[in-house]
Amino acid sequence: MRYMLGMITGLALIASPALADTTEITVHYPMPGFFKDVMDKIATEYMHQHPDVKITFASPSATYEDGLQLMLREAGSPEMPDVSFIGLNRLRVLAERNIGVDLKPLIDKDSNFKSEGFSETLLQLARVHDRQVGLAFAASDPIFYYNADLVRKVGGDPDHMPTTWEGVFELAAKIQALGDGTAGMSYRWMGDDWMFSALLFGNGGSMLTADEKKVAFDGPEGLAALKTLDNMVKIGKMPNLSSDAMVQSFTAGKTGMFFWTTGALRSIIKGVGDKFELRTTKIPLLNPEKGHLPTGGNAAVMFTTNPAKQQAVYEFLKFAAGPFGESVVVPGTGYVPTNENAAKDEKYLKTFYDQNPLFRAGRDQIPLMVPWYSFPGNNGVKVTQTMVDDLGQLVEQKITPEEAQKAMAQDVSKLLPR
Amino acid sequence: MSTMISATQDSAGVAVVVRKRPRAARFDELSTTARVLRLVVLFIGAAILLLPYAWMLSTSFKAQSEVFSSGLSLIPQHWAIVANYTKAFTRVPMVQILLNGVFVCLAISTFQILFALPAAYALARLKFRGRDLLFGCIILGLLVPIHAVSIPLYAASRWLNLLNTYAVLIVPFTLSVFAIFQFRQVIKTIPDDLIQAARMDGMSEMAICWRVVLPNAWPAATSFAIFSVVAHWNDVYWPQIVISQNRLATPPLGLLFFRAAEAGDDYGALMAATVAVSAPLVIFFLFAQKAFIEGVTSTGLKG
Amino acid sequence: MSEAAKSPSIAFDAMRERAAWWLVAPSVVLIVVLLVIPTLAIIGLSLTDLDLGNPDWNFIGVQNYVDLASDRTFRISIRNTALYVAIVTPVSVTLGLGAAILIEAGTELRGFFRSAYFLPVVSLIVAMATVWQYLMHPTIGPINLLLNLVGLPSVNFLGSSDVVIYGLAIIGIWQATGFAMVLFLAGLSAIDPQLYQAAEIDGAKSWWDRFWLVTWPILAPTTLFVTTLTMINAVKVFETVTTLTQGGPSKSSEVLLWTIYEEGFIYLHLGSASAMAVVFIAVLLVLIIIQTRTLDKRVHYG
Amino acid sequence: MAANSPQLTLSEIKKGYGSNQILKGVSLEIAKGEFIALVGASGCGKSTLLRIIAGLDAADEGEIRIAGRDVSSTRAADRDLAMVFQSYALYPYLTARQNMMVPLAMRRYSLWQRLPFIGGLMPGRKAIAGEIAAKVNEVADGLKIAQLLDRKPAAMSGGQRQRVALGRAIVREPQAFLMDEPLSNLDAALRVHTRTEIVDLHRRLGATTIYVTHDQEEALSMADRVAVMKDGRILQVASPRTIYADPDHIDVAAFIGTPAINLIEVQVDGDGIARIGNVPVISGLQEWRGQRLMIGLRPDHAELNDTGERVGPHVRLPFTLSRLEFLGAEAIAHGTIASGVQIRVRTGSSFAEVSAGRELTLLIAVHHLLVFAPDGTRIRRQFAEARDATQGVPVHV
């Protein structure tokens, strides 16, 4: 039926002559705005090195969430791709539903795995309990973007940006006072709980207790994080913008400081063009001693259950997460490298950071990075959205930080496995 | 007009009163003030309604760095038409996506008419057991949108391995209770003689349906087809659930893919793509506008 | 066939009846497959805790409905949908009627105005939503720049939980007005011009009198039809929400279809999403019944 | 009637759309209480004229006076006329009673009392409503439609609707009634019946009535005077009898009468004698020597004879019967006369047995012949003189 209809439209697929010794693998990835060029490059190079493998891409999903939903919907159906890149905080959803292939047995058989630059830290990022759900491909941390022109205009020093939130708010208020719709700062708190985690972890807090039975952000660390968000609005005069509007406003030169993932760096550079001088630096931490930052990004996950394909997919995963893949994804997006060899090797990224100072902020924060927390149970997805809704109330100044903390604790507790 | 020249000058310069009288104000003709007022109000309305298009077109001509520099200027300082449209047509299979839309919409409206017309004819003109029950089902069907039953339909499509096919885009919509309902109204107005005459000529009921009823219901079918095409060209709920491949994307889905995949914040290119997916329908409507309005008129909307 | 022997007229009826069944058969099959079974299935699903991607499920009776009753999101969603419908329906029906009457009142540029006002209906709402997003941008959007120009403060149409539903309603009205207009145009064109002449002779001198004497009552069935259709369309608002707000900020733009979609395909809870869908159908059903019951009697004079 | 000043005066009404001149200068005086029919083929301008009188269309030129008042620039609503439309134009959503109330309500309620929904609450409305209701009942009784008052038009027959439309016109007691083919939507039997009723009604109310129809029979049977229109002009205004027997114009003659008048082309010879075939028929037409004239002969103004001679001022023409149309009480004989001209003659039904092909004699009373000049105008004076002159003309048998 499908082919018949295809021919009716005169647009039948150009069916590739299936050679007996060619393995075809289908690859799916999210956020093509960041990853499309990167993926194309990696796939081309991989096929060049492995002429017996043909890589085709499924249509990319707009966000990590969309990508995850797609995998869950297609799980077990022939539409399921062989590989997908899943957000690091959603690996648990897959693991709990037993979707995807555990890589551990394959890695154990692989003798030179370690020497290829895959450290234990890296493996940790994509491990749920004992299951190696995937291989971390791109990692990110939140960084501090700013418009040096605006900073100068209000008498700030672009070379010495504030390292505390109080300093940020003060500067933001000054920039906002310039008028003409200019905003001092924006902090991308919506979409998911990642940027809230950055505040919470930055204060040494955590989401749930170690046994994952109760919330852990209902203490002073959590409250301080919420108060910081509150003060962004109260003192820093942060306007209530949607995620897209924040980016648009910043790249239009209408926002002084912007806090978001380093992964967006390349597209922000493009959006800014030569309208103003763009700079980046480290994000302030509430508690510089104990503070950490959540690791954003994704891991390559294998879905195919076909043993013949599995080997090819495994090779592809290593290739993408290996030095070559990293050397493409880092400059192409702004993500930080996960592979040790890529960072050290002259051939790959060693000189890149010397030549591209904007990319250093993300790299410099690597030591602070801890896994992005993922919630257990059936409501793993819903729980983050609920938190965001409560944060929204706070940003709109409808509730106090104390009330927000209470509401979040209640809402999240309700959605934890009973 | 004639009143204005009721007194004219003859060649000798003497005023000659022409036997013309001021005309009675006709109630269905507007006074000059009313005419101007009508145009002004309608133009303001049209300007508001068309504002988004103006911006869409203007942005599709602008370079990325210019789009978000604030200001109300519609004319770009740097033209980037070629770059934007090239991106829109090359980074996603835009032509394929548009053809998907055309194919899916045509298939849906064809099937809808194909199935609805005989049923409407039978409901309007023939007696059979279960007719009232069937009609009741149809009225209820008017109420249940696809959205509400998308979950079982999705489950069934998946079970039948129909995800990412043209079939799954078309089959759930092949039945339009709305079409049955509308055609039934129209068929009721067809003179009985016409149908009796066709029976005398030895036509089967099926033949009557296609050779007598269809030509009479044609305006209604046209306007229904336009409604149907508009609805399905625009639908994003169902395609979003069942299609995950660019190759099979319908225009809105293709646009969402493009927005996510290629455009990001490149609004120039995004708007170029928006123009590309909107244009076919707009052009289609502009051509069919007259037939459409006539069709709507014939579908039992009269008082 | 034995009937055929009885009497010619019975044989005739039987033949007709068979023909009728052949004619309706495809539709009946489709109604059963696409409407009846899915509706029953969704009622069935709503009694389970089925999750997408999770093979284990249990029959949990009416638990989903019980949960819905106390589900804040769902309550907000119903309230928002009602508010949205309550704004979009009367405004777009009134504007559509006004536009239709104004367009038909004169002869200049009729075709242009008809097309201009109908254009929003035929354009891709997903695409136009993106345009609206820019137009309504709180700081750099043209609408706010215009507001500032005349000394009004900026409105965060899509970002503030207090106004987001109105922002969406503006887009909804923008799209629905042309739809109402075209149906009213059809209704107007069906009015016998002699009625206006009779009205004039009867002494209805102002357009106001003629409107209330002729246009309004004649258009009553059309108005009912347009209102019903606009309402049904408004209840089904989804595209703008999915493209622009995703139900946010803080659930302030949750609407029924989006909530169902979110629950089923984002949160992956097919069971409770089905329960929502059942409630959604029930809401539509009640709406239509109330409307036809109360208005039907008053407008039909055939 | 002439004693009164005219109720309605039209002078030199002209109307055109672009280059198409619909009315080319129509003048007409209508006396108070008169029933006048405007009759003519479709496209003659009669409906346009009626609409101009009503004020629904504006004349390009000319003047309209109603009861002495110049209303040329007055809008329809202020002319105080009532109209019965061809389709009756009843408001379909109102009952017969409400329909009949509209003209009174529009004129007697104030703007506030007419407001939708809340108008009923305005002070003073109740009293007026009572008067209106009484008037409607009175008129309905007169028209015998009291039992229909609470029905909507959709629930009435064509005849009933027609009466309600009449009622709506009557209720207001206007300066004049305008009727635009009010019977054309009724079936034949009902039409004849309603004709009588309208005439009775007119007699009873004595209201000035202008009645537009394309049906000459209606015009002749109902009107006090008939105005025959063609191509935007009134050809003749006169009593039905005059219009029939003494038309001014060949077009009037041709339009009026069933079966239609026989029109025979004749050539006037050098002596001023007109001949049909070689039978000289009329003399004294010296003025038209060498020209072709038309002679009109009404089918009932000739006599067929198969026996031979007859005395008196009759012209005899050989007549070959080709077909006999039997109508019961009478018959129409179709045949050819000398020159091969086709002729219809009304005759007694006793001719029923006469078979086709029979040679008969046609006797024509010369004073019945209508002679028309080449431009279609009636030649009256000359013909009257010529009638005496024919005495001497030898009659060919």
Side-chain angles (χ1 to χ4, degrees):
Chain A
M1 179 71 164
R2 231 186 297 170
Y3 269 98
M4 203 186 74
L5 294 174
M7 280 185 291
I8 294 167
T9 53
L11 288 162
L13 287 175
I14 302 153
S16 52
L19 296 171
D21 52 352
T22 300
T23 313
E24 191 177 323
I25 59 179
T26 314
V27 175
H28 168 264
Y29 60 93
M31 298 211 283
F34 294 172
F35 291 117
K36 172 131 203 287
D37 294 337
V38 168
M39 289 294 172
D40 286 348
K41 237 186 209 168
I42 293 173
T44 313
E45 180 61 23
Y46 181 77
M47 286 190 282
H48 182 72
Q49 292 183 15
H50 301 82
D52 55 333
V53 177
K54 184 177 173 350
I55 294 174
T56 52
F57 287 110
S59 286
S61 301
T63 62
Y64 285 140
E65 303 298 317
D66 288 350
L68 173 76
Q69 290 151 29
L70 188 67
M71 292 309 111
L72 292 171
R73 291 209 304 257
E74 293 186 342
S77 80
E79 300 301 320
M80 188 83 172
D82 300 318
V83 180
S84 178
F85 293 80
I86 301 292
L88 290 177
N89 69 324
R90 295 301 181 216
L91 296 174
R92 184 168 190 164
V93 175
L94 292 179
E96 284 176 350
R97 287 173 167 76
N98 195 20
I99 296 169
V101 178
D102 185 0
L103 297 179
K104 197 158 184 295
L106 290 159
I107 292 172
D108 290 347
K109 276 192 292 183
D110 189 353
S111 51
N112 48 6
F113 187 74
K114 281 268 154 60
S115 64
E116 286 170 38
F118 299 98
S119 64
E120 178 59 22
T121 338
L122 179 134
L123 289 176
Q124 279 288 354
L125 285 174
R127 187 178 291 162
V128 176
H129 304 303
D130 273 343
R131 184 185 175 113
Q132 191 64 42
V133 186
L135 274 186
F137 166 68
S140 66
D141 46 359
I143 60 165
F144 180 169
Y145 295 85
Y146 58 99
N147 180 331
D149 296 356
L150 286 177
V151 171
R152 274 191 211 101
K153 225 182 206 172
V154 296
D157 178 2
D159 296 326
H160 296 93
M161 290 301 281
T163 53
T164 62
W165 284 112
E166 285 73 21
V168 169
F169 301 154
E170 214 173 291
L171 185 59
K174 282 189 203 157
I175 296 173
Q176 196 267 342
L178 287 171
D180 195 23
T182 312
M185 63 172 294
S186 48
Y187 187 91
R188 194 204 176 265
W189 52 270
M190 74 291 282
D192 48 40
D193 61 341
W194 193 59
M195 291 300 281
F196 172 69
S197 302
L199 290 172
L200 182 68
F201 297 178
N203 200 15
S206 57
M207 282 289 181
L208 297 187
T209 54
D211 60 3
E212 300 197 318
K213 292 274 195 295
K214 279 207 295 248
V215 293
F217 57 75
D218 53 354
E221 296 91 355
L223 187 59
L226 289 167
K227 277 188 166 156
T228 307
L229 187 60
D230 190 44
N231 285 334
M232 291 183 188
V233 184
K234 283 209 169 78
I235 309 173
K237 309 286 179 210
M238 177 170 79
N240 180 18
L241 299 185
S242 72
S243 176
D244 286 348
M246 279 184 181
V247 180
Q248 289 156 8
S249 175
F250 182 71
T251 56
K254 288 278 183 182
T255 301
M257 296 170 277
F258 180 39
F259 301 85
W260 197 22
T261 171
T262 182
L265 184 52
R266 180 58 72 189
S267 75
I268 288 184
I269 292 173
K270 276 197 229 163
V272 169
D274 51 6
K275 284 192 290 259
F276 60 86
E277 190 196 337
L278 171 72
R279 298 267 206 106
T280 62
T281 187
K282 290 196 217 173
I283 195 169
L285 297 177
L286 282 169
N287 184 340
E289 279 87 52
K290 281 170 36 192
H292 290 283
L293 290 173
T295 310
N298 59 55
V301 178
M302 178 194 291
F303 290 107
T304 184
T305 47
N306 177 345
K309 276 188 177 181
Q310 278 186 345
Q311 196 53 41
V313 170
Y314 178 69
E315 290 300 325
F316 176 72
L317 295 191
K318 282 208 302 179
F319 184 77
F324 179 83
E326 297 299 290
S327 69
V328 174
V329 74
V330 171
T333 57
Y335 280 88
V336 298
T338 50
N339 186 287
E340 288 176 347
N341 290 4
K344 285 181 223 152
D345 198 323
E346 290 271 347
K347 198 168 76 182
Y348 298 115
L349 292 169
K350 194 152 186 286
T351 55
F352 173 76
Y353 284 103
D354 297 338
Q355 287 151 12
N356 294 278
L358 286 175
F359 286 75
R360 283 181 215 151
R363 183 200 59 179
D364 293 349
Q365 295 179 138
I366 290 181
L368 296 173
M369 285 161 61
V370 293
W372 180 3
Y373 185 69
S374 78
F375 288 88
N378 277 349
N379 288 316
V381 184
K382 196 169 184 174
V383 96
T384 45
Q385 200 50 49
T386 312
M387 292 174 73
V388 170
D389 288 335
D390 291 325
L391 293 175
Q393 302 248 349
L394 176 63
V395 171
E396 288 205 64
Q397 302 286 293
K398 300 208 156 156
I399 50 177
T400 64
E402 288 79 8
E403 286 165 345
Q405 188 180 30
K406 213 174 140 200
M408 272 167 82
Q410 273 179 3
D411 291 343
V412 172
S413 303
K414 255 191 277 175
L415 294 170
L416 292 177
R418 286 167 209 175
Chain B
M1 284 265 252
S2 56
T3 61
M4 320 263 291
I5 49 155
S6 61
T8 55
Q9 301 277 309
D10 73 2
S11 55
V14 182
V16 176
V17 178
V18 179
R19 196 172 147 44
K20 282 193 174 173
R21 306 214 146 247
R23 282 174 55 176
R26 267 192 58 186
F27 72 98
D28 53 353
E29 275 177 7
L30 299 178
S31 66
T32 315
T33 332
R35 255 171 51 202
V36 171
L37 206 66
R38 164 182 178 268
L39 287 177
V40 167
V41 173
L42 284 175
F43 267 120
I44 292 174
I48 293 171
L49 290 173
L50 297 181
L51 178 75
Y53 298 92
W55 189 77
M56 173 174 84
L57 271 177
S58 136
T59 307
S60 78
F61 300 156
K62 286 180 180 171
Q64 185 176 1
S65 61
E66 201 184 323
V67 172
F68 287 108
S69 40
S70 55
L72 286 169
S73 166
L74 280 174
I75 316 272
Q77 286 165 321
H78 307 285
W79 294 80
I81 303 182
V82 178
N84 288 338
Y85 283 86
T86 310
K87 195 170 177 191
F89 275 89
T90 53
R91 300 296 294 268
V92 281
M94 186 57 78
V95 175
Q96 161 102 57
I97 285 168
L98 292 176
L99 287 172
N100 285 345
V102 171
F103 173 67
V104 168
C105 288
L106 284 184
I108 288 175
S109 44
T110 309
F111 279 121
Q112 283 177 336
I113 293 173
L114 207 65
F115 292 140
L117 196 76
Y121 169 63
L123 281 170
R125 286 305 174 90
L126 299 173
K127 269 190 220 143
F128 57 94
R129 263 165 291 173
R131 185 171 77 163
D132 294 341
L133 178 71
L134 182 59
F135 191 63
C137 279
I138 283 165
I139 296 290
L140 280 181
L142 283 172
L143 301 175
V144 182
I146 173 91
H147 311 79
V149 292
S150 58
I151 291 169
L153 286 180
Y154 168 79
S157 316
R158 196 184 134 155
W159 181 61
L160 293 169
N161 263 335
L162 285 174
L163 297 182
N164 285 316
T165 59
Y166 285 112
V168 78
L169 284 173
I170 296 167
V171 173
F173 301 103
T174 45
L175 171 84
S176 167
V177 282
F178 189 66
I180 298 180
F181 187 74
Q182 274 210 332
F183 287 148
R184 180 177 163 273
Q185 300 294 98
V186 174
I187 291 168
K188 280 188 147 183
T189 67
I190 295 177
D192 207 35
D193 297 354
L194 215 59
I195 287 163
Q196 295 298 357
R199 286 194 183 129
M200 302 286 279
D201 291 346
M203 278 194 209
S204 71
E205 297 298 321
M206 189 57 99
I208 292 175
C209 187
W210 296 114
R211 291 170 56 189
V212 179
V213 171
L214 181 62
N216 279 284
W218 193 246
T222 319
S223 82
F224 169 76
I226 293 179
F227 269 126
S228 164
V229 166
V230 167
H232 295 293
W233 186 274
N234 271 316
D235 184 31
V236 68
Y237 189 97
W238 181 246
Q240 199 171 347
I241 295 172
V242 295
I243 297 296
S244 60
Q245 292 175 8
N246 266 347
R247 187 171 64 76
L248 288 156
T250 54
L253 201 56
L255 190 73
L256 287 181
F257 281 157
F258 181 76
R259 179 163 94 153
E262 309 295 342
D265 293 320
D266 187 353
Y267 266 63
L270 182 58
M271 285 303 124
T274 308
V275 172
V277 294
S278 305
L281 212 54
V282 169
I283 293 168
F284 169 63
F285 170 71
L286 290 182
F287 275 105
Q289 188 238 118
K290 215 168 160 229
F292 174 62
I293 294 188
E294 279 166 15
V296 174
T297 318
S298 75
T299 46
L301 277 177
K302 311 170 210 241
Chain C
M1 32 183 163
S2 59
E3 285 167 13
K6 281 182 194 157
S7 103
S9 95
I10 291 174
F12 227 61
D13 287 351
M15 197 185 75
R16 288 269 165 76
E17 175 146 358
R18 267 201 304 280
W21 271 107
W22 276 113
L23 292 168
V24 297
S27 291
V28 169
V29 170
L30 287 172
I31 285 178
V32 170
V33 171
L34 295 175
L35 220 65
V36 178
I37 295 179
T39 308
L40 296 177
I42 203 155
I43 295 173
L45 276 176
S46 74
L47 305 175
T48 71
D49 65 352
L50 185 68
D51 269 18
L52 200 54
N54 197 345
D56 307 321
W57 61 274
N58 305 296
F59 181 79
I60 55 165
V62 294
Q63 189 57 43
N64 281 325
Y65 294 93
V66 174
D67 289 348
L68 273 192
S70 62
D71 183 344
R72 191 165 63 97
T73 310
F74 192 64
R75 267 209 315 275
I76 295 174
S77 184
I78 287 188
R79 200 197 60 210
N80 282 343
T81 311
L83 182 61
Y84 181 88
V85 172
I87 299 168
V88 170
T89 310
V91 175
S92 52
V93 169
T94 311
L95 288 180
L97 178 61
I101 288 176
L102 266 186
I103 288 173
E104 291 305 295
T107 46
E108 292 109 322
L109 295 173
R110 257 190 210 178
F112 166 75
F113 286 127
R114 282 177 176 180
S115 306
Y117 281 71
F118 195 68
L119 211 52
V121 185
V122 297
S123 12
L124 214 52
I125 189 65
V126 167
M128 297 318 287
T130 321
V131 179
W132 279 102
Q133 184 178 34
Y134 174 82
L135 291 174
M136 291 180 162
H137 192 288
T139 53
I140 55 177
I143 295 181
N144 276 314
L145 291 180
L146 282 173
L147 286 177
N148 296 342
L149 218 61
V150 296
L152 293 168
S154 295
V155 180
N156 193 352
F157 290 102
L158 300 174
S160 154
S161 57
D162 297 324
V163 295
V164 65
I165 206 79
Y166 301 97
L168 291 172
I170 290 175
I171 305 177
I173 291 165
W174 175 77
Q175 225 205 357
T177 298
F179 183 69
M181 177 213 66
V182 86
L183 298 178
F184 278 122
L185 280 181
L188 282 176
S189 72
I191 298 181
D192 180 0
Q194 285 206 341
L195 283 183
Y196 285 111
Q197 296 169 7
E200 165 77 10
I201 298 228
D202 285 344
K205 284 162 75 171
S206 59
W207 68 267
W208 169 258
D209 281 329
R210 279 195 298 278
F211 177 79
W212 286 109
L213 180 60
V214 179
T215 317
W216 178 252
I218 287 270
L219 282 185
T222 311
T223 311
L224 174 72
F225 180 75
V226 173
T227 309
T228 312
L229 235 62
T230 312
M231 250 168 91
I232 293 177
N233 283 341
V235 172
K236 291 194 283 194
V237 56
F238 175 76
E239 278 82 0
T240 44
V241 176
T242 185
T243 341
L244 295 179
T245 66
Q246 310 255 308
S250 308
K251 306 209 181 301
S252 50
S253 64
E254 287 280 342
V255 291
L256 279 173
L257 272 189
W258 168 256
T259 309
I260 295 172
Y261 178 85
E262 191 181 39
E263 185 73 13
F265 296 104
I266 297 183
Y267 301 154
L268 315 167
H269 301 324
L270 290 189
S272 51
S274 299
M276 289 180 179
V278 171
V279 175
F280 176 62
I281 295 174
V283 167
L284 274 181
L285 204 70
V286 169
L287 264 183
I288 308 277
I289 289 174
I290 290 175
Q291 197 179 23
T292 42
R293 278 283 153 80
T294 51
L295 291 175
D296 214 28
K297 281 181 227 147
R298 285 168 46 191
V299 297
H300 282 285
Y301 42 78
Chain D
M1 332 168 179
N4 300 336
S5 66
Q7 174 76 350
L8 194 127
T9 315
L10 306 176
S11 25
E12 283 301 307
I13 303 290
K14 290 186 184 165
K15 175 73 180 175
Y17 296 100
S19 60
N20 186 15
Q21 202 63 26
I22 307 288
L23 294 176
K24 300 168 179 164
V26 173
S27 299
L28 185 64
E29 282 195 357
I30 300 165
K32 192 165 172 63
E34 193 176 17
F35 190 125
I36 192 156
L38 295 177
V39 68
S42 60
C44 69
K46 57 186 189 300
S47 285
T48 308
L49 184 63
L50 192 75
R51 292 171 57 84
I52 287 175
I53 297 170
L56 295 174
D57 273 331
D60 295 337
E61 285 178 43
E63 190 191 75
I64 304 165
R65 283 177 177 276
I66 296 174
R69 184 169 65 110
D70 181 359
V71 296
S72 311
S73 318
T74 310
R75 58 180 299 174
D78 295 328
R79 290 192 184 184
D80 197 15
L81 301 169
M83 185 153 169
V84 179
F85 290 84
Q86 185 169 7
S87 65
Y88 315 134
L90 294 176
Y91 308 109
Y93 40 87
L94 300 180
T95 60
R97 185 193 306 279
Q98 290 165 327
N99 263 291
M100 287 168 67
M101 283 166 70
V102 168
L104 294 177
M106 279 297 155
R107 288 189 164 75
R108 301 187 51 183
Y109 289 138
S110 70
L111 178 64
W112 302 111
Q113 289 164 339
R114 265 183 284 131
L115 281 181
F117 312 123
I118 53 165
L121 308 173
M122 291 293 155
R125 181 162 151 147
K126 259 221 161 105
I128 305 177
E131 293 167 28
I132 293 177
K135 181 73 193 166
V136 167
N137 284 334
E138 180 196 323
V139 171
D141 285 340
L143 288 168
K144 304 193 181 71
I145 52 171
Q147 79 285 2
L148 297 176
L149 281 179
D150 292 314
R151 281 197 218 163
K152 287 185 179 175
M156 294 182 219
S157 71
Q160 291 171 328
R161 284 182 217 177
Q162 203 263 349
R163 274 185 218 209
V164 174
L166 271 178
R168 181 172 66 172
I170 293 167
V171 116
R172 231 181 63 214
E173 299 170 7
Q175 294 288 350
F177 289 117
L178 310 179
M179 301 196 186
D180 188 5
E181 311 234 6
L183 305 183
S184 63
N185 282 340
L186 302 181
D187 62 51
L190 195 56
R191 207 177 305 165
V192 173
H193 176 72
T194 314
R195 223 148 75 180
T196 331
E197 282 194 342
I198 292 181
V199 172
D200 288 347
L201 191 71
H202 172 249
R203 223 161 263 152
R204 208 169 73 224
L205 298 172
T208 315
T209 306
I210 304 173
Y211 187 103
V212 161
T213 177
H214 65 274
D215 182 344
Q216 44 140 330
E217 209 176 294
E218 259 173 41
L220 296 177
S221 65
M222 296 170 80
D224 296 328
R225 281 197 299 157
V226 176
V228 182
M229 290 188 68
K230 192 182 179 190
D231 292 338
R233 290 181 208 282
I234 291 183
L235 297 175
Q236 187 172 8
V237 192
S239 69
R241 191 167 300 279
T242 314
I243 289 282
Y244 182 78
D246 192 15
D248 283 346
H249 195 279
I250 188 167
D251 290 332
V252 176
F255 185 75
I256 299 293
T258 338
I261 194 168
N262 298 297
L263 288 172
I264 306 154
E265 197 181 62
V266 293
Q267 176 81 40
V268 180
D269 67 12
D271 300 327
I273 294 172
R275 294 166 190 274
I276 295 175
N278 22 12
V279 183
V281 183
I282 302 170
S283 67
L285 295 169
Q286 282 82 355
E287 226 174 300
W288 285 272
R289 242 176 262 157
Q291 294 194 36
R292 292 179 168 274
L293 302 180
M294 293 300 270
I295 289 183
L297 171 64
R298 294 237 176 249
D300 40 355
H301 287 162
E303 203 176 315
L304 265 187
N305 199 328
D306 55 348
T307 54
E309 309 248 339
R310 192 170 264 224
V311 190
H314 282 76
V315 178
R316 285 155 194 270
L317 292 168
F319 180 92
T320 312
L321 186 73
S322 49
R323 187 163 70 85
L324 198 81
E325 202 177 335
F326 179 70
L327 296 174
E330 56 179 26
I332 309 291
H334 297 254
T336 43
I337 48 175
S339 50
V341 179
Q342 296 280 339
I343 283 266
R344 293 172 297 276
V345 179
R346 197 190 296 273
T347 176
S349 54
S350 57
F351 271 82
E353 301 87 40
V354 181
S355 53
R358 269 288 288 281
E359 299 285 339
L360 301 168
T361 302
L362 186 69
L363 290 103
I364 305 168
V366 176
H367 69 273
H368 281 316
L369 288 179
L370 307 170
V371 183
F372 300 98
D375 66 354
T377 51
R378 176 83 179 279
I379 303 169
R380 251 200 191 99
R381 184 175 53 84
Q382 287 84 354
F383 181 55
E385 290 164 0
R387 215 170 65 203
D388 296 327
T390 52
Q391 303 278 0
V393 173
V395 171
H396 181 89
V397 183

